[in-house]
Amino acid sequence: MANNTADHPPGNSVAEGNHEGDFGCTVMDLRELMELRSGEAVAKIADSYGDVQGLCRRLKTSPIEGLSGNPVDLEKRHAAFGKNFIPPKKPKTFLQLVWEALQDVTLIILEVAAIISLGLSFYHTPGGDNEMCGEAAGGVEDEGESQAGWIEGAAILFSVIIVVLVTAFNDWSKEKQFRGLQSRIEQEQKFTVIRKGQVIQIPVAEIVVGDIAQIKYGDLLPADGILIQGNDLKIDESSLTGESDQVRKSLEKDPMLLSGTHVMEGSGRMVVSAVGLNSQTGIIFTLLGAGGEDEEKKVKKAKTQDGIALEIQPLKSEEGVESEEKEEKEEKQAKKVNVTKKEKSVLQGKLTRLAVQIGKAGLIMSAVTVIILILYFVIYNFGVQKRPWLKECTPIYIQYFVKFFIIGVTVLVVAVPEGLPLAVTISLAYSVKKMMKDNNLVRHLDACETMGNATAICSDKTGTLTMNRMTVVQAYVGDTHHRTVPEPEALRPETLELLVNSIAINSAYTTKILPPEREGGLPRHVGNKTECSLLGLVLDLKRDYQPVRDEVPEEKLYKVYTFNSSRKSMSTVLKNPDGTGFRMYSKGASEIILRKCSRILDAQGQPRVFKPKDRDEMVRKVIEPMACDGLRTICVAMRDFPGNPEPDWDSENEILSDLTCIAVVGIEDPVRPEVPEAIEKCQRAGITVRMVTGDNINTARAIATKCGILLPGEDFLCLEGKEFNRQIRNDKGEVEQERLDKVWPKLRVLARSSPTDKHTLVKGIIDSTVGETRQVVAVTGDGTNDGPALKKADVGFAMGIAGTDVAKEASDIILTDDNFTSIVKAVMWGRNVYDSISKFLQFQLTVNVVAVIVAFTGACITQDSPLKAVQMLWVNLIMDTLASLALATEPPTEALLLRKPYGRNKPLISRTMMKNILGHAVYQLTIIFTLLFAGEKFFDIDNGRKAPLHAPPSEHYTIVFNVFVMMQLFNEVNARKIHGERNVFEGIYRNPIFCSVVLGTFALQIIIVQFGGKPFSCTALTIDQWLWCIFIGVGELLWGQLISAIPTHHLKFLKEAGHGITKEEIPEEELTEGADEIDHAEMELRRGQILWFRGLNRIQTQIKVVNAFRSSLYEGLEKPESRSSIHNFMSHPEFVPLSEEEARIPTIEESAVEIETLPTSSKGGAGGSGGASSSGAAAHPGSPLHSQETSV
């Protein structure tokens, strides 16, 4: 439905024409209207519709009652104006994923080798049986066997296909999960609309044109609309326009509200005028989506998952230097870039680094293997045996060389741990799925693992540490401090009347107290919790607020100063019924409102003078005692204005002064019962919890003590925002890191803090260099103003219930139950991911070390790898894919919270793990070499060494292969523990995946050995031989016990591996301020590629880049970031600074013709910097875009 309205002008199809006729305006009319701004829009509305009410009449809706909600009517609206849904980009098909998996270099080499070997096995030379070919032809037992030469090639191809399918399937299921998560987030988003006069919440996707939506502070607008009535409404339109200033919206000046923008202040109602693909965000999406196809042919843009083109992408990617074949890799990389939010996560950085190191070692080993084999063959045949090279023997020799090549490649395949990325993905995906059950909705995958490294949590108080069920428990009214809520008789009727009116009118009308959902439950609080507590006070005083609101509906409110973080108060102005003047009701934080009071109602209900010294006394006698009980104090006040002359409502300071205090109430928000225990767990786990709250310092201190954030007798700081700023800023008012470093380590409570304070604190802790490791900070937030802090933090938690859309948009994880304990669960899962990867590594590296050494030594001594190519691939498959499944899905245990965080620089492979890896490698190598060189005597079988080219598989080598696999299987159980624990079976029954993988692998191994035959180079073994193999495998477990008995600290020679990047290793010029961490491993990978591709397509690429540059710059600078969309909730492509980490692009001159050639050293040209590039292509002809040389 949505599409036909978007793609064709309305009325093409008959049906549509009819529907359009039902309403007084078409989609196109509304689209044109929504493209106008401010004055033009007001004029157009007046011109075409008379006023907004006129537009509502045309759309058949009532500004007060809303739509009827009748399904037939809603269906008509869907048909005429589309649905509020932006279809996501089509997911990659399974075949595309298969194609991507095939791009793997090692696999390509294998495929080529296999095809050559296949081709040669079918080629028989007439002189093939010539004696002169020597050893090469000899020993082929019978014709049938030599015919079977093709089997090895076919088997290799087959195993490659299996590996590819498994990889593709994993990617596919990951993508599917990702989309499931996304649709779940979208379904959870609800918005408040009025239907049949009732205020209800409906899912965003069900909003239709003509709906009357209520908007308030903190909302992310889900559709375009036109303001009907607004109070002090300010909107942040930066997501669409890029202008950071907040835009004031009013009926007279600018009533246009656009989807994807954020309400920063105020409240109001709007009539929805465009939804889905016709809204402003939708139109941009359509441009990106539809324009993408033609664009793609000209300039391939890397797309993010949601199909938002990453503007200016070609500058940042390696496209500048690489050929078309890299395109797919490119997309993969772009994908990786987009999923990470700030920088590559710690774990990924360490893993990439490690994989590169291992890969290099593997490459060297395999090259050496091939060279030794070939040299030996040549020297032996032509040197020692003195044979001439005969023409007819050439194919046979080539067949030998191909065989050697295949052996070399297999060594490489086994050496490269391609299971690593897989293990990370599986582990993260599994954790994310399970974290759902623990009330953590993860929006960025790597947040889950970063959480395991967290060293500090800055938490809000309200709702996270406390229940967010506010109740008034004390009150100061009429010169009396009531320790409990007073009886209505205890107050003067006129005072009571004023109090009730003030509370009922001066609060958002969306705030209500509804009857409990089930018998005996608590009444439900809807809307702002503080206001609910005040309304609760009205009910406790045996009065009702609803009749007062019915008498003064929202339309009659003359002026509203809504609550915001700088005002910390809310005021509502009414015109007196007799028209003589105005009355204003105010409420807000007591210390702020009391400063503006010059009178106070006494016991008789009469105003008396209230001097500063009275105020100090009141603070001392009333407010501080309340605050020390952990209460939040709110002051309710009023003021009357003359009607003539009318006050200047815009000079807020004058309006909000000279008030009369009606009452001060103390509101309690009880601590959640489970929080103190959770905080204790955090402290045990080496995580500092800090409380950052807008409340006053006494309340904050009281609650912090109840939670256990402040412990008696400890030397901790509790600061107010003002004092905090005084201590960290210099005379010019700039924040100084040294000053901050003196404050934050002891700071535990920051009270009366503004959003900027929170951001400053988080940034300060992250940038600090005080400790030996960089702090990893998690932050919780719920308000719109918490956005910057949530973004800055390593992990931002938004509140699922109380959080505004803006906060959720900026966060990494959403706490669906707003509870602090869920954060502790997230820490547990994060550490579990880390440990799972380490377990897998410990296992994988043992296999790699052993397999590579066996293949290498075996090949050098016996001219043939004891483990054949296909066997190696099978080992690789079980060891990589299946083991990553088994070890990456271990459920977390409480024990994970008993250790300190690992920190960013701790190596992935600890010394204990290194001890395990080398220890087990020694055992396995000893066994295998013993079997290889003396196995035939031990088992009394034929010797399998020195077999000719197409010899049938021998029992000897089959036993070597079988024993190898058995040892790996039992070692998989050993790998379950990485900290040197004794009991490796502990909790094994809690992990069904592990058990099934191990048993499954075992079953498959039996099938391969008994029935694998020629393709797997196996012959069936007897039951005795099998029992011996299993017995040797079980030896692994016993050996494991022996290893864990050796204390690690005696083994000084062991090195750790897989470090994070330390500051020292980064060249000076890259440590510039604000540059994200650079991933050196990726650079290593690229060096080779750059040189390789540079010669291939310099000219072509440069022209491409210039075009890309032009198109993406000129469009890109105007286009909004994709962050604005509700439907693009996950994975925001951040604009990575262009001079970062990617391969450098040749300098681009103004003219695409005069192309500057690059220096052919391994340094690239200059990378365009964001600043320089925004000026178009270059500053002036002949100047390189960016002169700073950055080494790649």
Side-chain angles (χ1 to χ4, degrees), residues 501-509 531 570-572 585-587:
N501 281 349
S502 173
I503 291 173
I505 292 170
N506 185 30
S507 57
Y509 279 27
E531 290 181 352
M570 170 176 179
S571 314
T572 305
Y585 293 115
S586 296
K587 67 167 192 290

Side-chain angles (χ1 to χ4, degrees), residues 113 305 324 350 372 498 535 784 796 826 847 876 1005 1115 1126 1178:
Q305 270 92 332
E324 291 287 52
K350 290 180 183 176
I372 291 182
L498 270 175
L535 295 177
T784 307
V847 183
N876 206 35
Q1005 178 65 14
E1115 300 154 21
I1126 344 164

Side-chain angles (χ1 to χ4, degrees), residues 784-944:
T784 307
N785 44 26
D786 291 330
L790 288 170
K791 266 215 149 26
K792 177 68 194 162
D794 294 287
V795 182
F797 286 92
M799 300 298 144
I801 305 168
T804 56
D805 297 339
V806 184
K808 290 180 186 171
E809 191 81 359
S811 70
D812 300 291
I813 298 181
I814 296 175
L815 295 177
T816 48
D817 63 346
D818 287 16
N819 192 339
F820 187 82
T821 27
S822 305
I823 299 179
V824 183
K825 293 264 175 52
V827 172
M828 213 154 83
W829 276 106
R831 293 186 170 191
N832 190 51
V833 168
Y834 216 87
D835 280 9
S836 299
I837 304 298
S838 293
K839 287 171 190 173
F840 173 66
L841 262 178
Q842 175 172 310
F843 174 68
Q844 162 98 47
L845 292 182
T846 315
V847 183
N848 283 6
V849 170
V850 177
V852 169
I853 293 179
V854 168
F856 176 69
T857 343
C860 297
I861 299 173
T862 66
Q863 264 50 117
D864 186 6
S865 167
L867 298 173
K868 300 289 179 288
V870 181
Q871 294 175 349
M872 289 276 213
L873 282 171
W874 159 238
V875 168
N876 206 35
L877 187 75
I878 56 169
M879 299 324 154
D880 277 1
T881 316
L882 299 174
S884 61
L885 243 182
L887 291 167
T889 52
E890 290 267 324
T893 57
E894 285 284 331
L896 288 167
L897 292 175
L898 298 177
R899 62 171 174 76
K900 298 274 176 278
Y902 281 151
R904 297 177 77 91
N905 305 343
K906 172 157 187 320
L908 276 174
I909 303 171
S910 63
R911 290 178 53 177
T912 315
M913 287 166 61
M914 205 48 130
K915 176 184 76 176
N916 292 345
I917 291 171
L918 296 177
H920 286 293
V922 167
Y923 174 81
Q924 297 185 8
L925 287 171
T926 317
I927 298 276
I928 285 187
F929 283 136
T930 312
L931 285 178
L932 191 56
F933 296 114
E936 69 271 21
K937 304 187 185 63
F938 178 72
F939 281 109
D940 191 25
I941 47 178
D942 294 335
N943 176 1

